C-alpha cells in the first residue's frame, strides 16, 4: 500500500498539471515561512520527504520547487538549537535530497548551511554529527563551487584536523563520510597527497573494501562505493590499485554481494565494477577474477537453465551476474542494465579463455534473448523507456559477441531467429508511431523517449544486418524493414544526432537502404530538414531565453501572469523601501527587520521558482509548436506520396479490370461451347434411349415370330419373313444412326484436345512473359553496373588527364632547364675554346 501511494505521489510530481504544482509550491513556501509553527513545518517536510521517493522526484523537488534552499533556510532559522527534532529532520531530508544532485554555492542559504555543518560537526552527539557529515559529503562531491568556498574559509585547517580525527571513529559510516569529504577537498592538495600517498593508500583500500563488504547497511555501502569510484578517477590512485596485492581477494568478496536479493546493494556493487572497468589494468584483472575460475561450473549451470536468483545456494560469480539480468526481485531493473553494461565491458577485453568464453556465452544467450520479449506500449511510457534501454544494451552486447571469434558467432546465429528480430522491430516501430504525445518522435534532449526508441530500433537493425548471411530469412526481413515507411523518422534522428556512434549506425543502414526500390529517400530528406529546423529554432529560443531571463515568461492565462508580475514588482518595491528605511534610520534599527527580509527573500525565491516553471511551460509550448509544424510537413509529404501510390494503384486496377473483361469474354465463349456440347450429348442420349426401345420392341416381335412360326402355316411364315425383312432394314438403319453417334463422340473429344492445347499455349505465353520480365530486370541491373563503371572510368580518365597535363608541364619545365643547361655548356665550351686560342697565340 505504501509503495502504491509513493507511485501515485511520483506520478503527481511528474504529471505537469498546474493544480498539483501549485499545491507543492504552496507547501514549500509555507514550510520556508519563519512564522509557521515547527509542528506544521515538520509535517510538511515529512510529506515532501514521502514525495521524494525516487531520483526523478528528488530532482524535480530540488530544481523546480527550490526545496533545498527552503530546508537550508529552515535550518538557518533554527541554527541556535541544532539538536532540535526539526533541524535533524531537515538534515536527514537534505542528505536524501542532495545525493548525486548539483548544488551551487551561490544558491540561497547554501553558504549558511555549509557554515552550520562545519560548526556542528564538532558536536559531541552522534545524532547531529552523522547527518552533518553525510550532507557535507554530498555537497562537496564533484562540486567545485562548494569546494572552493570551503577552501577559502579561515577555519579550513582546523576543519581538516577535525575530519582527520574522525578517521579513528568507531562507526564505519562516520569514517566513510569523513574519507569522502577529505577526498573531495584535499585529493589534489598537499594534505591529500600525504593522506592518500603510497604508504597509506593500501590501508585505505583495505578499509574501504572492508566497509563495502561488511558495512553497517545499504547507506554505508553506498557512500563507500562512491568514495572508491571517486578515488579511481585519480590516475595515481588507480595505478596504486592495479598493484594492490589483495585486489583479487577483495574483488572476490565484493562479487559475493551479488548473491544477495538486495537490488540496492547489487546496484552499487555493479557501479563499482563498472568504474573499475574504466581502468584498463583493473579491467583485465577483474575479467580474470570473474570468469577464469568459473568456466566448467558456469556451463553446467547453463545446461540446468539456472535463470533465477537462488539465495540458498552459493552460485558462481559469473552465474550470479547473469542471474541479475532477469531477476524477478522488485526494483532490479537498474541492476539488469548495469549487468549488461558490465558484461559488454568485460567481453571486449578478449582475455577470457576460449573454453570459458563458449561455456559462458552458451549460458548467457538464452537469458539475453528472453530479455528482448515483453514490450507492451499499453503499459505506459515508463515501461517503454525501460524496455528500450534493455533492448539497446542487449543488442550492443550481442554485437560485441559477434566480434570475438567464429565459434561465438556460430552460437549467436543459432540462438537468434529472424522472427524474433522482426517482431522486436515491429513492436519498436509501433511504439515510435503510437498516438501518445510523449512517444511521438522529435529531436529533443537525449533522454527523450523518441531517442531511446530510435536507438533501440537502429541497434536491432544493425544486429539483423550483421546476421543476415548466417540466419535463415534474416536478409529478407532486414530489407523488408528498411523499406518500411516508418523507418524514416528514427533514421533521420540518428543521422542528425550529435553522437558519433548514432550517426555511423544511421549511415551504415542508409548505405544498405539506398539501393532498395521502395526506400522513402524523399521523406527521409524532409524529416532531416525538419529536425535541423527544430534544432535551429531551439537554439534561437535558448538565445532569447538568456537575453530575457529576468523577464517573466508569457503564460496562457494572462490574468495569472499579470497578477504574478504585479506581485513580483510589489515585493521588489517593498524590499527597496525596507532597504531605504534601513539606510535612513541606521540609529533606530528594528529587531524584526532581518526576519521581514528573510520572509520576503523566501517569497522572492518562490516567485523565482514560479518564474522558472512558467519559462518551462513556455518552452514546452514552443517545442510542441515546432513539433506540430514538423509533423504537418511530414504528413503533407506522406499524403503526397500516398496520393501518388493511389494513382499508381488505380492505373493497375484499370489494367486488371481490362484484362478481367477480356478473360470474361473468352470464358463466356468457352461456356457457350460447353453448353452446346451438353445439348448435343442430351440429344444423343435421347436418341440412344429411342434406339433402346426399338431394340426391345424388336426382341418382343422376334419372340412373337418364333411362337407364330410353331403354330401357324406357311402363310403366316411368309408374313413373318416379310416382317423380319422389314425389321432387319430397321435394324440396319439403327446401326447407321449408332455409327453417326460414335463419329460425333470422336469429334467432341477432338474439341477437348484442342481446348487443352489452347490452355497450354496460354501458359507458355505467361511463362515467356515472366522470363522477359526477369530478363529486363537483369538488363537493368547490368545497365546500372555499366553506368557505375562508366562513371568510375570517367573519373579515372579525368584524373589521368589531370596527371597528363601536370606531367606535360613538368616535362616542358625540364626541357627549358635542359635548354638553359645546354646554352650554358655551349657558352662554357666557347669560352674555353677561345682561351685555348689565346694561349696558342701567346706561345707563338
Amino acid at each position: 500500500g505504501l509503495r502504491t501511494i509513493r507511485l501515485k505521489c511520483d506520478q503527481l510530481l511528474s504529471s505537469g498539471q498546474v493544480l498539483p504544482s501549485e499545491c507543492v509550491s504552496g507547501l514549500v513556501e509555507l514550510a520556508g515561512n519563519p512564522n509557521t509553527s515547527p509542528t506544521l513545518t515538520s509535517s510538511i517536510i515529512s510529506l515532501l520527504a514521502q514525495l521524494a521517493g525516487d531520483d526523478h522526484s528528488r530532482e524535480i523537488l530540488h530544481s523546480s520547487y527550490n526545496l533545498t534552499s527552503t530546508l537550508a533556510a529552515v535550518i538557518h532559522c533554527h541554527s541556535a538549537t541544532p539538536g532540535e527534532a526539526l533541524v535533524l529532520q531537515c538534515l536527514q531530508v537534505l542528505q536524501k535530497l542532495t545525493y548525486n544532485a548539483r548544488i551551487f554555492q551561490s544558491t540561497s542559504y547554501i553558504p549558511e548551511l555549509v557554515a552550520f555543518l562545519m560548526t556542528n560537526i564538532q558536536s559531541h552527539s552522534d545524532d547531529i554529527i552523522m547527518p552533518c557529515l553525510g550532507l557535507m559529503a554530498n555537497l562537496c562531491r564533484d562540486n567545485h563551487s562548494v569546494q572552493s568556498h570551503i577552501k577559502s574559509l579561515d577555519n579550513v585547517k582546523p576543519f581538516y584536523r577535525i575530519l582527520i580525527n574522525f578517521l579513528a571513529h568507531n562507526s564505519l559510516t562516520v569514517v566513510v563520510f569523513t574519507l569522502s569529504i577529505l577526498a573531495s577537498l584535499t585529493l589534489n592538495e598537499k594534505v591529500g597527497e600525504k593522506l592518500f600517498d603510497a604508504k597509506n593508500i593500501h590501508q585505505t583500500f583495505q578499509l574501504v573494501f572492508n566497509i563495502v563488504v561488511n558495512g553497517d547497511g545499504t547507506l554505508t555501502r553506498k557512500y563507500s562505493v562512491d568514495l572508491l569510484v571517486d578515488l579511481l578517477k585519480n590516475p595515481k590512485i588507480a595505478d596504486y590499485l592495479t598493484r594492490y596485492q589483495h585486489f583479487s581477494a577483495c574483488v572476490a568478496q565484493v562479487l559475493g554481494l551479488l548473491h544477495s536479493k538486495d537490488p540496492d546493494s547489487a546496484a552499487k556493487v555493479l557501479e563499482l565494477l563498472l568504474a573499475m572497468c574504466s581502468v584498463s589494468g583493473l579491467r583485465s584483472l577483474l575479467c580474470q577474477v570473474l570468469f577464469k575460475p568459473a568456466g566448467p561450473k558456469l556451463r553446467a549451470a547453463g545446461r540446468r537453465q539456472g535463470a533465477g536468483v537462488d539465495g540458498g545456494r552459493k552460485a558462481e560469480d559469473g552465474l550470479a551476474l547473469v542471474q541479475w539480468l532477469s531477476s524477478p526481485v522488485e526494483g532490479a531493473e537498474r541492476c539488469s542494465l548495469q549487468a549488461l553494461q558490465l558484461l559488454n565491458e568485460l567481453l571486449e577485453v578478449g582475455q577470457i579463455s576460449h573454453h570459458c568464453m563458449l561455456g559462458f556465452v552458451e549460458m548467457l544467450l538464452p537469458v539475453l534473448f528472453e530479455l528482448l520479449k515483453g514490450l507492451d506500449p499499453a503499459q505506459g511510457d515508463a515501461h517503454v523507456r525501460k524496455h528500450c534501454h534493455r533492448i539497446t544494451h542487449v543488442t550492443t552486447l550481442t554485437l560485441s559477441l559477434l566480434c570475438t571469434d567464429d565459434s561465438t558467432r556460430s552460437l549467436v546465429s543459432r540462438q537468434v531467429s529472424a522472427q524474433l528480430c522482426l517482431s522486436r522491430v515491429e513492436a519498436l516501430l509501433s511504439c515510435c508511431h503510437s498516438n501518445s504525445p510523449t512517444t511521438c518522435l522529435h529531436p529533443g534532449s537525449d533522454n527523450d523517449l523518441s531517442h531511446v526508441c530510435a536507438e533501440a530500433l537502429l541497434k536491432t537493425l544493425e544486429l539483423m544486418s550483421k546476421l543476415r548471411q548466417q540466419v535463415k530469412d534474416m536478409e529478407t526481413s532486414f530489407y523488408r524493414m528498411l523499406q518500411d515507411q516508418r523507418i524514416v523518422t528514427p533514421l533521420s534522428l540518428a543521422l542528425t544526432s550529435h553522437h558519433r556512434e548514432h550517426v555511423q549506425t544511421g549511415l551504415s543502414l542508409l548505405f544498405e537502404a539506398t539501393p532498395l526500390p521502395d526506400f522513402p529517400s524523399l521523406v527521409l530528406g524532409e524529416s532531416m530538414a525538419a529536425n535541423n529546423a527544430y534544432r535551429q529554432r531551439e537554439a534561437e529560443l535558448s538565445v532569447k531565453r538568456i537575453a530575457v531571463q529576468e523577464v517573466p515568461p508569457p503564460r496562457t492565462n494572462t490574468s495569472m501572469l499579470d497578477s504574478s508580475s504585479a506581485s513580483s514588482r510589489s515585493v521588489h518595491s517593498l524590499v527597496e523601501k525596507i532597504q531605504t528605511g534601513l539606510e535612513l534610520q541606521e540609529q533606530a534599527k528594528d529587531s524584526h527587520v532581518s526576519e521581514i527580509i528573510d520572509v520576503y527573500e523566501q517569497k522572492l525565491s518562490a516567485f523565482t521558482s514560479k518564474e522558472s516553471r512558467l519559462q518551462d511551460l513556455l518552452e514546452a509550448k514552443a517545442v510542441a509548436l515546432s513539433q506540430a509544424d514538423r509533423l504537418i510537413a511530414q504528413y503533407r509529404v506522406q499524403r503526397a506520396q500516398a496520393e501518388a501510390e493511389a494513382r499508381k494503384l488505380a492505373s493497375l486496377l484499370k489494367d486488371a479490370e481490362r484484362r478481367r473483361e477480356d478473360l470474361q469474354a473468352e470464358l463466356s465463349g468457352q461456356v457457350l461451347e460447353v453448353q452446346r456440347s451438353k445439348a448435343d450429348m442430351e440429344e444423343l442420349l435421347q436418341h440412344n434411349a429411342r434406339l433402346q426401345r426399338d431394340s426391345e420392341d424388336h426382341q418382343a416381335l422376334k419372340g412373337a415370330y418364333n411362337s407364330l412360326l410353331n403354330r401357324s402355316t406357311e402363310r403366316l411364315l411368309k408374313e413373318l419373313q416379310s416382317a423380319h425383312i422389314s425389321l432387319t432394314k430397321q435394324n440396319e438403319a439403327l446401326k447407321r444412326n449408332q455409327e453417326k453417334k460414335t463419329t460425333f463422340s470422336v469429334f467432341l473429344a477432338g474439341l477437348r484436345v484442342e481446348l487443352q492445347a489452347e490452355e497450354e499455349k496460354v501458359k507458355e505465353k505467361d511463362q515467356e512473359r515472366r522470363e522477359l520480365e526477369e530478363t529486363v530486370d537483369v538488363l537493368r541491373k547490368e545497365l546500372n553496373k555499366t553506368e557505375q563503371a562508366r562513371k568510375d572510368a570517367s573519373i579515372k580518365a579525368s584524373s589521368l588527364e589531370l596527371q597528363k597535363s601536370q606531367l606535360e608541364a613538368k616535362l616542358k619545365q625540364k626541357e627549358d632547364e635542359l635548354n638553359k643547361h645546354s646554352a650554358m655548356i655551349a657558352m662554357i665550351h666557347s669560352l674555353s675554346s677561345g682561351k685555348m686560342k689565346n694561349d696558342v697565340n701567346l706561345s707563338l
Side-chain angles (χ1 to χ4, degrees):
L2 179 61
R3 179 170 177 82
T4 304
I5 294 173
R6 180 171 294 177
L7 284 174
K8 290 182 179 179
C9 291
D10 297 342
Q11 294 172 0
L12 184 71
L13 280 177
S14 58
S15 63
Q17 298 177 2
V18 177
L19 183 59
S21 176
E22 292 298 329
C23 289
V24 175
S25 178
L27 289 174
V28 173
E29 184 177 356
L30 186 60
N33 191 342
N35 297 324
T36 306
S37 65
T39 305
L40 180 58
T41 303
S42 177
S43 301
I44 293 173
I45 293 173
S46 298
L47 177 59
L48 295 175
Q50 289 294 325
L51 291 178
D54 59 353
D55 295 339
H56 182 60
S57 300
R58 287 193 290 271
E59 174 62 25
I60 292 176
L61 289 173
H62 167 68
S63 60
S64 299
Y65 295 96
N66 206 19
L67 182 58
T68 303
S69 297
T70 302
L71 295 177
V74 174
I75 294 175
H76 178 64
C77 290
H78 298 82
S79 59
T81 56
E84 188 180 350
L86 180 59
V87 175
L88 294 177
Q89 183 185 18
C90 291
L91 288 173
Q92 293 170 357
V93 176
L94 272 175
Q95 184 180 356
K96 182 180 179 181
L97 195 65
T98 58
Y99 181 74
N100 282 341
R102 192 71 172 171
I103 309 295
F104 292 100
Q105 184 268 336
S106 58
T107 308
S108 300
Y109 290 101
I110 293 300
E112 291 82 359
L113 178 61
V114 171
F116 174 84
L117 295 176
M118 294 179 67
T119 301
N120 289 276
I121 280 175
Q122 307 176 35
S123 174
H124 298 289
S125 174
D126 288 346
D127 293 336
I128 187 68
I129 290 174
M130 196 169 294
C132 286
L133 285 173
L135 181 54
M136 180 65 81
N138 290 347
L139 294 176
C140 293
R141 190 184 182 209
D142 293 331
N143 196 332
H144 296 291
S145 63
V146 174
Q147 293 173 11
S148 301
H149 172 70
I150 294 175
K151 293 176 185 179
S152 64
L153 298 176
D154 297 333
N155 59 342
V156 64
K157 291 185 179 180
F159 177 63
Y160 287 164
R161 286 195 292 269
I162 294 171
L163 291 177
I164 293 173
N165 292 332
F166 275 132
L167 295 178
H169 201 276
N170 55 3
S171 173
L172 294 178
T173 305
V174 172
V175 174
V176 169
F177 288 161
T178 304
L179 283 173
S180 179
I181 298 171
L182 288 172
S184 298
L185 294 175
T186 68
L187 192 58
N188 297 318
E189 296 183 355
K190 292 182 179 180
V191 178
E193 291 177 358
K194 293 180 181 179
L195 189 61
F196 299 103
D197 61 357
K199 297 179 181 179
N200 299 327
I201 193 62
H202 288 182
Q203 296 178 0
T204 305
F205 288 151
Q206 189 64 49
L207 175 64
V208 175
F209 276 117
N210 287 338
I211 295 174
V212 172
V213 177
N214 306 312
D216 295 338
T218 305
L219 180 66
T220 307
R221 182 174 293 118
K222 179 168 66 175
Y223 278 86
S224 59
V225 169
D226 292 340
L227 171 61
L228 199 51
V229 170
D230 292 341
L231 291 176
L232 286 175
K233 295 177 182 178
N234 188 296
K236 185 184 295 185
I237 297 179
D239 183 62
Y240 288 152
L241 187 57
T242 57
R243 292 178 289 172
Y244 180 48
Q245 58 180 351
H246 303 297
F247 175 76
S248 298
C250 292
V251 169
Q253 292 179 348
V254 171
L255 289 172
L257 297 174
L258 293 176
H259 302 299
S260 68
K261 291 185 178 180
D262 183 13
D264 294 331
S265 297
K268 295 309 292 185
V269 169
L270 292 171
E271 182 181 347
L272 176 59
L273 296 177
L274 283 170
M276 291 179 179
C277 287
S278 63
V279 182
S280 59
L282 294 180
R283 182 163 58 171
S284 58
L285 293 175
L286 181 61
C287 193
Q288 295 174 7
V289 174
L290 188 60
F291 292 111
K292 283 197 173 180
K297 295 183 180 180
L298 281 175
R299 190 165 58 255
R303 296 192 188 99
R304 291 195 297 270
Q305 298 294 326
V309 176
D310 186 4
R313 177 172 59 88
K314 290 294 183 180
E316 295 292 343
D317 296 330
L319 178 60
L321 183 61
V322 175
Q323 287 168 346
W324 276 108
L325 294 176
S326 58
S327 173
V329 177
E330 186 177 2
E333 179 61 30
R334 180 186 174 191
C335 298
S336 177
L337 296 180
Q338 287 176 322
L340 287 170
Q341 292 176 349
L342 180 61
L343 287 173
N344 190 22
E345 292 286 342
L346 294 176
L347 293 176
E348 285 181 352
V349 178
Q351 295 184 2
I352 310 174
S353 64
H354 182 72
H355 181 69
C356 293
M357 170 67 83
L358 289 181
F360 185 76
V361 172
E362 186 179 359
M363 176 195 64
L364 175 64
L365 287 176
V367 181
L368 284 181
F369 295 131
E370 191 66 27
L371 294 176
L372 295 177
K373 302 176 182 178
L375 178 60
D376 185 11
Q379 296 186 18
D381 294 344
H383 167 78
V384 173
R385 182 187 301 275
K386 177 179 68 176
H387 204 85
C388 287
H389 279 304
R390 185 189 299 171
I391 290 175
T392 301
H393 286 88
V394 169
T395 50
T396 302
L397 179 56
T398 307
L399 289 169
S400 298
L401 291 175
L402 290 175
C403 298
T404 52
D405 54 13
D406 294 336
S407 56
T408 309
R409 283 194 294 271
S410 178
L411 281 176
V412 175
S413 60
R414 286 201 299 268
Q415 293 286 343
V416 181
S417 65
Q419 183 61 34
L420 174 64
C421 295
L422 188 62
S423 62
R424 293 308 90 203
V425 172
E426 288 285 355
L428 288 170
L429 284 174
S430 64
C431 289
C432 292
H433 291 266
S434 65
N435 292 325
S436 173
T438 55
T439 57
C440 185
L441 292 176
H442 60 87
S445 64
D446 294 336
N447 293 325
D448 283 343
L449 190 57
S450 58
H451 286 83
V452 175
C453 291
E455 185 180 4
L457 177 63
L458 296 181
K459 280 292 182 183
T460 308
L461 288 174
E462 186 180 3
L463 179 62
M464 294 176 69
S465 176
K466 297 290 184 182
L467 293 174
R468 57 182 172 174
Q469 301 297 334
Q470 289 80 19
V471 180
K472 181 182 178 182
D473 297 333
M474 185 67 80
E475 186 172 12
T476 304
S477 303
F478 174 65
Y479 287 126
R480 171 186 166 189
M481 286 295 98
L482 286 184
Q483 297 181 87
D484 195 309
Q485 298 289 326
R486 297 173 294 175
I487 201 66
V488 167
T489 312
L491 190 57
S492 67
L493 278 178
L495 292 173
T496 56
S497 174
H498 57 272
H499 289 287
R500 180 175 57 187
E501 182 181 357
H502 297 173
V503 176
Q504 290 175 349
T505 303
L507 286 175
S508 63
L509 293 175
L510 181 63
F511 179 76
E512 296 288 345
T514 303
L516 300 177
D518 294 333
F519 178 69
S521 57
L522 178 62
V523 184
L524 176 62
E526 292 291 336
S527 181
M528 292 176 65
N531 289 349
N532 292 331
Y534 177 89
R535 293 182 186 279
Q536 184 179 0
R537 185 165 183 174
E538 272 291 297
E540 293 174 355
L541 286 175
S542 64
V543 171
K544 292 179 181 178
R545 184 165 60 249
I546 293 173
V548 296
Q549 59 184 355
E550 297 298 331
V551 180
R555 195 171 181 176
T556 54
N557 192 338
T558 309
S559 62
M560 294 178 65
L561 173 61
D562 295 339
S563 62
S564 176
S565 301
S567 300
S568 179
R569 288 193 296 270
S570 63
V571 169
H572 281 291
S573 63
L574 184 57
V575 170
E576 290 177 359
K577 290 179 181 178
I578 291 173
Q579 291 176 351
T580 305
L582 287 176
E583 291 175 357
L584 295 175
Q585 300 176 2
E586 292 181 354
Q587 297 178 356
K589 294 183 178 178
D590 191 355
S591 61
H592 298 288
V593 170
S594 60
E595 296 180 0
I596 295 173
I597 292 176
D598 290 339
V599 170
Y600 284 105
E601 284 182 351
Q602 289 296 320
K603 290 185 176 294
L604 285 174
S605 64
F607 282 121
T608 304
S609 177
K610 289 182 180 179
E611 183 177 326
S612 64
R613 288 197 297 277
L614 291 172
Q615 184 68 28
D616 293 338
L617 289 175
L618 176 63
E619 294 174 2
K621 292 293 184 182
V623 170
L625 179 61
S626 177
Q627 180 182 352
D629 294 339
R630 184 179 58 82
L631 288 177
I632 290 172
Q634 288 185 357
Y635 288 151
R636 286 175 179 171
V637 173
Q638 292 176 358
R639 181 179 178 181
Q641 188 175 5
E643 290 177 353
E645 291 180 354
R647 287 193 295 271
K648 183 179 179 181
L649 291 174
S651 64
L652 292 175
L653 181 61
K654 289 181 180 179
D655 295 339
E657 288 290 339
R658 191 181 302 108
R659 185 176 179 185
R660 185 187 64 80
E661 291 174 357
D662 297 339
L663 292 174
Q664 187 69 30
E666 185 178 354
L667 181 62
S668 299
Q670 296 293 334
V671 168
L672 290 175
E673 291 292 334
V674 171
Q675 290 177 354
R676 292 194 195 98
S677 299
K678 285 183 178 180
D680 294 339
M681 288 290 294
E682 289 178 356
E683 290 179 0
L684 289 173
L685 289 173
Q686 292 175 1
H687 188 65
N688 191 15
R690 289 194 298 271
L691 291 176
Q692 188 69 27
R693 290 193 298 272
D694 292 342
S695 178
E696 291 175 356
D697 294 341
H698 172 69
Q699 292 295 333
L701 290 173
K702 188 175 180 180
Y705 169 74
N706 290 329
S707 64
L708 288 174
L709 184 62
N710 294 327
R711 295 194 301 269
S712 64
T713 57
E714 291 181 355
R715 181 180 59 82
L716 295 174
L717 180 61
K718 290 181 181 178
E719 292 176 357
L720 290 172
Q721 286 177 350
S722 61
H724 179 265
I725 292 169
S726 64
L727 289 172
T728 302
K729 291 180 180 178
Q730 290 180 359
N731 191 19
E732 289 177 355
L734 289 173
K735 286 183 179 180
R736 287 194 294 271
N737 289 333
Q738 186 67 29
E739 289 175 357
K740 290 181 180 179
K741 173 186 173 184
T742 304
T743 304
F744 187 80
S745 299
V746 172
F747 175 74
L748 184 61
L751 288 176
R752 289 178 178 173
V753 171
E754 290 179 358
L755 182 60
Q756 291 178 355
E758 290 294 328
E759 290 177 351
E760 292 294 329
K761 289 181 180 179
V762 171
K763 291 181 180 179
E764 290 177 357
K765 288 184 178 181
D766 289 339
Q767 183 66 28
E768 290 176 359
R769 181 182 58 79
R770 286 193 294 270
E771 291 177 354
L772 287 174
E773 289 177 352
E774 293 176 355
T775 305
V776 169
D777 292 337
V778 171
L779 290 175
R780 285 177 180 172
K781 293 180 180 178
E782 292 180 355
L783 182 60
N784 292 332
K785 292 180 180 178
T786 305
E787 183 67 18
Q788 185 63 33
R790 185 188 64 78
K791 291 180 179 178
D792 295 339
S794 63
I795 292 172
K796 290 181 180 178
S798 61
S799 176
L800 290 174
E801 288 177 358
L802 180 61
Q803 294 178 1
K804 177 184 174 184
S805 61
Q806 292 176 353
L807 289 175
E808 287 177 352
K810 289 182 179 180
L811 183 60
K812 185 175 181 180
Q813 184 179 1
K814 294 294 181 181
E815 287 177 355
D816 295 335
E817 292 178 358
L818 185 60
N819 292 331
K820 291 179 181 179
H821 291 163
S822 299
M824 291 174 64
I825 291 169
M827 186 182 297
I828 293 169
H829 186 268
S830 62
L831 291 173
S832 60
S833 61
K835 185 177 181 180
M836 288 176 64
K837 290 179 181 179
N838 292 330
D839 292 338
V840 172
N841 292 328
L842 288 173
S843 63
L844 290 174

